[in-house]
Amino acid sequence: MIRNDVFKTLIPVISEHLVVCNIGAPSQELHALDDRASNFYMLGTMGLSSSIGLGLAAAQDKPVIAIDGDGSVLTNLGTLATIGNNPQGNFTLLIIDNGSYGSTGDQPTYAGMKTDLAAVAKACGAETVQTVSAEDTAEAVKAAIASDQTTIIVSKCESGNVKVPVIKTNPIVIRERFMEEVRR
Amino acid sequence: MATTMDHQIVEDLKAAGIDYITSVPCKQLAGVIEVLEGTSEIMHMPSNKEDEGMGLCAGAFMGGMKPAIVMQNTALGVVVNTLATLIQFYQIPLPMLISYRGEVGEPVACQVEMALHTKAILNQLHIPTYHFHKPEDAAELPGILEYAQMASKPVAILCDASFWRASA
Ligand SMILES: Cc1ncc(C[n+]2csc(CCOP(=O)(O)OP(=O)(O)O)c2C)c(N)n1
Ligand SMILES: [Mg+2]
């Protein structure tokens, strides 16, 4: 399964919740599969999906799922320490670990080599960390949303992207409609 | 030890409704951070790097809070992309309380290098910039904080060594 296949299984689980989605192909694929006001597409800031998600979870009580990528977490590794030290029971971080920089042509990341992001997350003090197969991801995310613990899920999937259009929605529209969902 | 000015700054932040702050320390900001730690009305969530901190602030803002960041001017070398593609692109109000290292009174030569680029970077990004040089300049802080919310923009408040020394 590639990222887009994982997303297909994930949609019934996350569509009613606040989702912050990673730059590039992940946001574009989620947008093409299930565009929703409750999705915040982070269109240009590699590495910050998890940070935006954590800040959002700290600020209000609704469940928050941040979808990130292995490459993006590697570029902002400090985020795992911040998450580990500021647990928010309503926060789930889903790291789509395809072992590559998918959006830019599937160049390998260190997470696909010797680096174990789940072990790093644990060492950073994160409460609950799981490595799951692509097939088991939706079930794990569902359980994480239901739980009152910060959960980091590292979903091991294959490298690959599907051809989908770029997101043309005005950023203020993305942000405003998302904030309306937060307030709802 | 926190000074009267450190307390005044945090009081102004509180009065402006700022209730979420992330920070990366600087010697000049130690007093402000100390006061923040004891201020229950403001959630203080330290970050490891200032771009990460701005991500936290963007999330807190969308969650209904009023965030601010406390950082050193050298961090402007870190956050250009985040300011442009996150804070400005999505129009997020973000007061940045910035220690302005490398100005007159600076003991560390290396700090001068980023001081030389500080205002140039802020100008290039079209970020409203205020420079506190004397203690009385801080009287403008409440207005600046209100301005950031009104404009939905990041604003920079640069506080130099002369300001901190005269405020001590
Ligand atoms: C600072 C910066 N460097 C590089 C890029 C280019 N870039 C965009 S997405 C991406 C790959 C992200 O990989 P990952 O987080 O693993 O997500 P994936 O697409 O694999 O799901 C890169 C390198 C960028 N947008 N910003
Ligand atoms: Mg990847």
Side-chain angles (χ1 to χ4, degrees):
Chain A
M1 285 169 88
I2 61 171
R3 183 199 314 102
N4 195 63
D5 301 321
V6 176
F7 281 2
K8 280 185 197 159
T9 67
L10 209 54
I11 280 165
V13 174
I14 63 170
S15 63
E16 298 297 321
H17 294 294
L18 301 173
V19 174
V20 178
C21 194
N22 192 25
I23 184 174
S27 270
Q28 289 166 16
E29 289 176 2
L30 181 63
H31 174 263
L33 285 168
D34 186 40
D35 180 31
R36 291 198 177 239
S38 54
N39 296 341
F40 179 73
Y41 306 111
M42 184 201 66
L43 297 175
T45 326
M46 182 182 169
L48 295 191
S49 181
S50 61
S51 305
I52 297 168
L54 181 66
L56 176 65
Q60 52 82 57
D61 293 333
K62 291 196 172 85
V64 174
I65 302 106
I67 300 175
D68 218 329
D70 52 322
S72 297
V73 170
L74 283 168
T75 215
N76 181 22
L77 262 190
T79 189
L80 296 174
T82 307
I83 295 166
N85 287 279
N86 295 279
Q88 310 295 327
N90 58 342
F91 184 52
T92 302
L93 172 60
L94 170 62
I95 304 174
I96 299 290
D97 185 357
N98 54 8
S100 72
Y101 296 102
S103 294
T104 47
D106 300 330
Q107 299 88 353
T109 67
Y110 290 131
M113 294 152 88
K114 286 173 150 185
T115 303
D116 177 350
L117 286 175
V120 179
K122 275 183 206 145
C124 283
E127 281 177 354
T128 309
V129 186
Q130 303 160 355
T131 300
V132 298
S133 66
E135 290 76 11
D136 294 339
T137 300
E139 206 46 52
V141 171
K142 192 174 180 182
I145 295 169
S147 89
D148 56 3
Q149 289 219 309
T150 307
T151 310
I152 298 182
I153 298 166
V154 179
S155 168
K156 290 284 190 185
C157 63
E158 285 168 60
S159 202
N161 313 287
V162 299
K163 257 209 147 31
V164 285
V166 296
I167 298 170
K168 291 187 178 146
T169 318
N170 181 296
I172 311 307
V173 172
I174 293 174
R175 196 261 271 165
E176 280 293 330
R177 67 180 200 167
F178 183 74
M179 288 177 72
E180 234 166 79
E181 291 298 309
V182 171
R183 287 190 292 264
R184 220 145 64 100
Chain B
M1 256 299 278
T3 65
T4 312
M5 181 58 77
D6 296 325
H7 284 278
Q8 181 187 316
I9 288 171
V10 175
E11 280 305 312
D12 286 348
L13 291 167
K14 253 189 343 192
I18 300 294
D19 52 5
Y20 181 97
I21 289 189
T22 190
S23 67
V24 178
C26 167
K27 224 172 187 175
Q28 292 181 352
L29 298 167
V32 168
I33 291 170
E34 181 190 317
V35 179
L36 280 176
E37 277 297 312
T39 303
S40 58
E41 298 91 333
I42 298 177
M43 188 189 295
H44 179 216
M45 194 179 285
S47 42
N48 304 294
K49 214 168 181 181
E50 296 79 359
D51 55 346
E52 181 207 355
M54 290 188 182
L56 292 169
C57 287
F61 172 74
M62 292 194 290
M65 294 184 95
K66 271 192 191 167
I69 187 166
V70 172
M71 66 190 219
Q72 191 177 84
N73 62 322
T74 49
L76 287 166
V78 173
V79 296
V80 172
N81 176 56
T82 301
L83 281 167
T85 66
L86 184 64
I87 304 301
Q88 292 179 322
F89 191 62
Y90 293 98
Q91 290 182 15
I92 292 167
L94 185 65
M96 302 184 284
L97 183 72
I98 303 174
S99 59
Y100 194 1
R101 298 295 304 267
E103 284 289 291
V104 173
E106 174 63 55
V108 180
C110 190
Q111 295 283 4
V112 177
E113 299 304 320
M114 277 308 288
L116 297 175
H117 301 298
T118 295
K119 285 186 175 174
I121 292 170
L122 291 165
N123 286 341
Q124 179 62 43
L125 291 171
H126 298 171
I127 291 176
T129 299
Y130 305 89
H131 182 167
F132 291 179
H133 182 59
K134 298 194 170 97
E136 50 267 35
D137 296 336
E140 236 196 305
L141 184 55
I144 296 167
L145 295 172
E146 199 184 312
Y147 181 80
Q149 303 300 323
M150 180 280 295
S152 295
K153 285 184 190 303
V155 304
I157 303 137
L158 299 170
C159 303
D160 68 20
S162 307
F163 171 79
W164 296 114
R165 176 158 335 111
S167 303

